[in-house]
Amino acid sequence: SNNPGRYHSPEEAARLDAVCEDVYKGHKQLRMVPYCKFFEDKVELVMGYLQDALHVDGLAGKRQRVTVRLRAAAVPPEVQHHAQAFVITSTFLDEAMQNSIRRRVRIGVDCWCEGMRPESLSIDEALAKDCLSQSEMFEEREAIPEENYLARRVISKVQYHKIAVLTRQEPVDRCVLSFQDQSGSHYELFYIKNSAQRELVLDLTVGSSLPDWLEPEHSARAKPHPRWPEECAQEARVRKLGRH
């Protein structure tokens, strides 16, 4: 490394990582940040962990969701250029829906846009590509309602698939477009991959305006961000019912 503050060899660094993990492994707020191909992905993961540890919906303020639609035929090119897209797969492991596993896969923004058409197979094709393996992240999550927090632990791909084959619950795939406006406000626009209709939902900070290229659906009302598992579970049930 060209950083003078890093004086350990790779072997020494790996050994000290294991020592630190062993010391703190019993702490309920332990977070292990994995290797990320892109530095901005690591920053985003760390910010998410801080968000959980501080018991807030978002470091920039409380968030809400509203059903929206595009004013034009597509997401503006300037938004696409700076945005990032992901498929986030959540699978509950118990009837109480307090334990779950989650996979986040980075995909191309053009693939996300193409996937808005219900008949499109672009998302499935992207998930099947081996080249995306470096952009995957896996987590195991446990809700602790009595202590009002969500424990998250990064797991390996092998661990994730071992757990996934044992569960009877159906996974939910959320396709997310993450972007910011000129003032720095953060937005997430998503749809459920397996739903019959590609209903668009915008996740935004309370008090923020809708981007001018989006408009609310008729009679749509903003709802609080579903931070806790029982609210997320209700959302999952609604999405699955909508497919039939």
Side-chain angles (χ1 to χ4, degrees):
S1 171
N2 59 4
N3 183 349
R6 292 183 173 179
Y7 51 85
H8 298 107
S9 68
E11 294 75 17
E12 290 173 330
R15 181 181 63 81
L16 288 175
D17 277 351
V19 170
C20 291
E21 182 179 356
D22 187 61
V23 170
Y24 288 101
K25 65 183 180 183
H27 197 287
K28 66 183 181 181
Q29 290 284 17
L30 174 66
R31 303 290 193 274
M32 297 293 292
V33 181
Y35 162 78
C36 298
K37 184 177 181 181
F38 301 99
F39 180 71
E40 58 267 28
D41 289 342
K42 176 166 284 191
V43 171
E44 182 179 348
L45 190 58
V46 170
M47 295 299 284
Y49 285 168
L50 284 172
Q51 195 170 294
D52 283 345
L54 294 174
H55 303 282
V56 295
D57 290 326
L59 296 178
K62 291 185 176 295
R63 300 187 67 80
Q64 63 183 2
R65 290 179 175 181
V66 61
T67 306
V68 296
R69 62 187 176 191
L70 299 174
R71 290 184 181 273
V75 177
E78 61 273 18
V79 175
Q80 294 187 41
H81 180 70
H82 295 287
Q84 295 183 11
F86 306 91
V87 176
I88 298 175
T89 302
S90 299
T91 308
F92 288 101
L93 306 177
D94 58 342
E95 292 298 327
M97 294 189 173
Q98 293 184 355
N99 296 278
S100 64
I101 52 175
R102 169 174 152 149
R103 178 183 69 168
R104 192 188 77 163
V105 180
R106 188 170 181 171
I107 61 172
V109 172
D110 55 342
C111 175
W112 185 93
C113 294
E114 175 67 19
M116 283 193 292
R117 297 188 298 110
E119 68 275 14
S120 172
L121 298 176
S122 65
I123 301 294
D124 294 302
E125 291 170 354
L127 293 177
K129 289 183 179 178
D130 293 336
C131 63
L132 288 173
S133 60
Q134 292 296 319
S135 64
E136 291 180 312
M137 290 186 184
F138 303 91
E139 287 184 338
E140 188 175 41
R141 297 181 163 205
E142 179 184 4
I144 314 294
E146 60 272 16
E147 298 186 26
N148 201 39
Y149 85 96
L150 182 68
R152 294 163 50 164
R153 182 171 69 92
V154 174
I155 58 177
S156 69
K157 183 174 183 176
V158 172
Q159 289 174 305
Y160 172 86
H161 286 293
K162 281 184 177 179
I163 297 171
V165 297
L166 296 176
T167 182
R168 297 181 180 179
Q169 304 293 335
E170 185 178 358
V172 176
D173 294 313
R174 191 159 52 95
C175 303
V176 180
L177 185 72
S178 176
F179 62 94
Q180 293 183 332
D181 64 10
Q182 293 182 344
S183 68
S185 296
H186 178 72
Y187 298 88
E188 289 189 347
L189 182 65
F190 69 88
Y191 55 84
I192 304 300
K193 181 175 78 71
N194 295 329
S195 61
Q197 301 296 324
R198 292 296 198 259
E199 180 183 76
L200 290 174
V201 178
L202 183 68
D203 184 299
L204 70 164
T205 303
V206 172
S208 294
S209 302
L210 291 183
D212 57 11
W213 48 277
L214 290 172
E215 61 183 3
E217 282 283 7
H218 296 305
S219 73
R221 297 178 58 187
K223 299 179 182 179
H225 185 281
R227 173 170 172 76
W228 302 112
E230 57 270 19
E231 295 169 313
C232 295
Q234 178 63 29
E235 179 183 88
R237 292 191 191 99
V238 171
R239 303 298 181 193
K240 284 192 282 187
L241 287 174
R243 294 202 299 272
H244 300 292

